[in-house]
Amino acid sequence: AQLSHVRADGAALMVDVTDKPVTKRRATATATLITRPDVINLLVAGELPKGEALAVARVAGIMGAKQTSALIPLCHPLPLSGATIDFAPGDDRVVLRATVKTTGVTGVEMEALTAVSVAALTLYDMIKAVDKHAVITDISVLAKSGGKSGDWSTE
Amino acid sequence: AQLSHVRADGAALMVDVTDKPVTKRRATATATLITRPDVINLLVAGELPKGEALAVARVAGIMGAKQTSALIPLCHPLPLSGATIDFAPGDDRVVLRATVKTTGVTGVEMEALTAVSVAALTLYDMIKAVDKHAVITDISVLAKSGGKSGDWSTE
Amino acid sequence: AQLSHVRADGAALMVDVTDKPVTKRRATATATLITRPDVINLLVAGELPKGEALAVARVAGIMGAKQTSALIPLCHPLPLSGATIDFAPGDDRVVLRATVKTTGVTGVEMEALTAVSVAALTLYDMIKAVDKHAVITDISVLAKSGGKSGDWSTE
Amino acid sequence: AQLSHVRADGAALMVDVTDKPVTKRRATATATLITRPDVINLLVAGELPKGEALAVARVAGIMGAKQTSALIPLCHPLPLSGATIDFAPGDDRVVLRATVKTTGVTGVEMEALTAVSVAALTLYDMIKAVDKHAVITDISVLAKSGGKSGDWSTE
Amino acid sequence: AQLSHVRADGAALMVDVTDKPVTKRRATATATLITRPDVINLLVAGELPKGEALAVARVAGIMGAKQTSALIPLCHPLPLSGATIDFAPGDDRVVLRATVKTTGVTGVEMEALTAVSVAALTLYDMIKAVDKHAVITDISVLAKSGGKSGDWSTE
Amino acid sequence: AQLSHVRADGAALMVDVTDKPVTKRRATATATLITRPDVINLLVAGELPKGEALAVARVAGIMGAKQTSALIPLCHPLPLSGATIDFAPGDDRVVLRATVKTTGVTGVEMEALTAVSVAALTLYDMIKAVDKHAVITDISVLAKSGGKSGDWSTE
C-alpha cells in the first residue's frame, strides 16, 4: 500500500495529495443501532420523547458529513456534491445507510462513515430516555467508486 | 420513562432541563475497531502511512467530545470537566474506552459515545490505506453516574 | 440604558457580565417566510425537491441557536437548557416561532432570534428551486423573562 | 422546476450536483433593520454600548457567509471567492446589502442571504441595550448571475 | 506543580477539574506585530487593501477567544463573561493586549493568548499584500487573577 | 501592491479573487516557544501533566490550519492538500515549522501561520502547569511558492 508516506519518526501528517487527479467519487457506508422492539415501535410511530427521530438523525448525518475534515484530524477537506441517508427499521434495530459524493482528489469513505456514525449517535440520543443499553454496531464501508484503486462493493 | 416531553405533533425539541439540579456526572463508553493482525502490528509500531495512530485518535476523541452538542441536534451543551480515552490493542482489534465528566444538569453519555466514535473513525482513517474493510462495532455506554436515575454499570 | 459600557474610542468589546446574577431566562422570537400559495402546498405536502422542509428547518433552527455566540461577535456564550421551534403555515406564508431557555447571566433573545433566522433561511433553501423571490420578514422578539429589566411581552 | 429530486418518501437529501458545470457565480441579497431615529444616531456616531456597530456587523456577516453550509443543513459547501457588505443608514433603519461570489457548481444566494442575516442579527445585538423592539425585515435576493437558470435582478 | 496528573504511559488527557471551585477569573495577554513604518501609516489611516484593520482584528480576536477550547485540544470549555482587545500602534509595530474574564473552574490565560494570537494573525492577513515579511512576536501572559495559585502580574 | 482593492470608505471586504488562476501553492511558516530547560526535559521525556505534548500540538496545528478561514475574517477558504508540522527542541525552546499545500487561487501563508500558532499555543497549554512565563515568538513565513508574485524563501 501507500507506505511511502511514513515519516522516519512516525509523526502524524496530512498526506500530500496535491498531485492526485480530480475525479468524481462516491462512497456508501452503513451502521446499525440495536435496541428493543418496543423502542422501535415508538421510533417508527414518532412517539419518542424528543420527537421525530428519523428526520432529526437524517439531518444530523448530512450535517455531520460536512464536518468530517473538522473532526478527523488528518482528513482532507472535500466539497461534498451530494448526500443521502436512509433508514431500514427492523424488529429490534435500525440499519442506516449513507451515500456521499464529491468531485475531488481523495475518496469520501470517511464522509460516508461520519454520516452514518453521527446519524446513529443521534438515534441513540433520541431513544436513550427509554433505552439506556442500545448499541451501535457494524459501521463499515459498503462500496466505493472513483479512485485509482478501482471501484469495489461488498454487496 | 420521560414520555411527558412528547409533543402532540411529534415535533423535535430540545427538552427543557432548566429545573434539573446541577450535579457532578460521569459516563464511560466503549467502541471496538476490527481490522487484521498485520494492521495492528503496524499501528502499534507507529508505522502507518499517516503516522502515530493512537495519539492522533486520542486527541480527536477528546476534541470530538467537546463538539457533541454541535453534532447531535437535540443534545444540551455541557461544560466538560475532564476526559480520558484509552486503547487496548488485541490480536485483530483495538478496544477503545472513554470516560467523560461534567458538572451539569444532564448526563454525559452522549459525550462519551461521541468521544469513542470519533476516536474510532480516526483510527479507521489512519489504517484505511492498508485495510479498506475495517469495521467499527460495539459502541455502547458501560457506566454512568451522577443523575437522578441512579448510578449503573454493565461491568 | 447601559451606556456606561461605551469605551472612549468606541472600540467593540464583549461587555463584562462577570458580576451579573445567574437566573433562569427565556425568550421567544418570531420570523415570517413569504412565498406563494402553491409553494406552501408543496411544503405542507412534503413534496419539495429537498424533502421534508419543516422537520429540516426545525433541526437547523435548534442547532443554529446553539451556535449563536460563535456567529454574533460580541454575544456571550450561554448553555441552552431548552429550545422549541414551531411553524404556522398560512395561505402564502409560514410564521415561525422559537422559544429558548437558559440558566445564565444574560438574556437569550439573540439565541431565539438566531433560531428563527436560521430556520427561516433553511425554509428558503428548501423552496428556492420553486420560488426564487421568497422574502423573510418580521424577525423580532415577542417576549422575554428572567432578567433585571423585568419580564415583558408584545402579545 | 427541479422536482425530479423529490424522493418517494419525501425524505430530506443533499441534492446531487456532481454533474453540474463549474461556473463563476454571484448573488446579492438585502435585509433591513428597523429601529428608532435616536438609536440610528448613536449607531452612526459609534456611541453604542458595545462599540462600533457597522464594522462589527460587516465582519460578522462575511464570517457568517463562510459558515452557510454548516448552518443550512442541505446547502452544498462552496469556496467563496469574494464578499462585500454595505450599510445604508436611514432615518429609523439600516438597509444592508451583501454581494458574494464563488466559482462553483451551485448558486451563492444562500451565502448572500446568510451574510445579511448574520450582519443584521449582529446590529440587533449591538443596539438591543437601547432598543428591545427592533425588527429585521425584507430579507431577499436582489440579483443572481452565473447559473443555468440565467441572470436576473429585481432592480 | 500538578504532576499528579501524569498518566503512566504519558497519554494525553483533559485533566479532571470537576472538584475545583468556581471563582471569578481574569487574564491579560499580549502580542506584538512587527512590520514597516509605511505599513503602520496605511494601517492607522485605514488605507490597507482589505480595509479597517484594527476593527477587523478586534472582532477576530474576541471571536477567537470564544473558540479556544475548540482549537486547543486539552483546554476545558469556559463561558467567557467579558473580553476586550486593544492596540497600541508604534513606529514599526502594533502591540496588542487582550483581557478576558470568566466565572469558572480553570484560568482564562489560554483564552487571552488565543485572543491576541488570532487578532495578530488577522493584522498579518490585512497587511500581507504590502508586507510579506511581518513577524508576530512576544506572545505572553501579563497578569492573571482568581485561581488558587494566587494573583500575579509581570507589570 | 494590490491597493486597487481599497474601498473609498475603508470598509473591510473579502477581496474578489474570482478571476485568479488555480495553481499549486505551498507555504512554510515558523514559530518558537521559549520556556526553561527543565521544562524542555519534561516535554521531550513525555512527562508533562497533560501528556505527550508534541503529538498533541502536531494534531492541533494541522486541525487549526483547516480552520484558518473560519478564524481569520477576510481569509478565503482553501482546500488544503497536505500539511506537516515539525518540532526542533533546543536547550530552552522548541522551534516549530509547518508546511501547508493547496491547489487554489490564493496563497496558503495564513494557513501555515495558523498551524504554527495553534501548535505553539497548544504547547503553551501543555506546559503552563509547570511554567507560567513561557513566551511564543518569531512567528513568520519562511518560504512561499506558487503564486503570481513569484517563489521566495528567507533561507
Side-chain angles (χ1 to χ4, degrees), chain D residues 1-2 6 26 31-32 49 54 62 80 86 91 102 104-105 109 113 116 142 150:
Chain D
Q2 301 155 289
V6 185
R26 182 174 56 189
T32 297
L54 298 182
I62 291 174
L80 299 193
D86 288 295
D91 181 51
T102 194
V105 297
E109 62 267 55
L113 288 165
V116 290
L142 293 176

Side-chain angles (χ1 to χ4, degrees), chain E residues 82-104:
Chain E
T84 56
I85 301 186
D86 288 295
F87 303 95
D91 182 50
D92 66 348
R93 65 194 59 204
V94 179
V95 178
L96 302 87
R97 179 181 288 225
T99 295
V100 176
K101 297 181 180 181
T102 195
T103 301

Side-chain angles (χ1 to χ4, degrees), chain C residues 1 10 52 124 129 136-137 139 141, chain D residues 1-2 10 52 124 129 136-137 139 141:
Chain C
E52 44 196 338
Y124 189 107
I136 299 169
T137 191
I139 301 177
V141 177
Chain D
Q2 301 155 289
E52 46 196 338
Y124 190 106
I136 298 170
T137 192
I139 301 177
V141 178

Side-chain angles (χ1 to χ4, degrees), chain C residues 31-34 116-117 120-121 124 133-139, chain D residues 29-33 96 109 112-118 120-121 136-142:
Chain C
T32 298
L33 175 83
I34 302 178
V116 288
S117 298
L121 287 167
Y124 189 107
H133 298 297
V135 178
I136 299 169
T137 191
D138 289 337
I139 301 177
Chain D
T30 188
T32 297
L33 176 82
L96 302 88
E109 62 267 55
L113 288 165
T114 301
V116 290
S117 298
V118 172
L121 287 168
I136 298 170
T137 192
D138 288 337
I139 301 177
S140 66
V141 178
L142 293 176

Side-chain angles (χ1 to χ4, degrees), chain E residues 1-3 10 12-13 49-52 73-74 109-110 113 121 124-125 129 132-133 135-139 141 152, chain F residues 1-3 10 12-13 49-52 60 74 109-110 113 121 124-125 128-129 133 135-139 141 152:
Chain E
Q2 301 153 287
L3 294 184
L13 79 165
K50 291 187 173 186
E52 45 196 339
L74 306 179
E109 62 266 55
M110 291 316 302
L113 288 164
L121 287 167
Y124 190 106
D125 182 53
K132 60 183 69 168
H133 299 297
V135 178
I136 298 169
T137 191
D138 289 337
I139 301 177
V141 177
W152 58 268
Chain F
Q2 301 154 287
L3 295 184
L13 79 165
K50 291 187 174 187
E52 45 196 338
L74 306 179
E109 62 266 56
M110 291 315 302
L113 288 164
L121 287 167
Y124 190 106
D125 181 53
K128 75 177 196 291
H133 299 296
V135 178
I136 298 169
T137 192
D138 289 338
I139 301 177
V141 177
W152 59 267

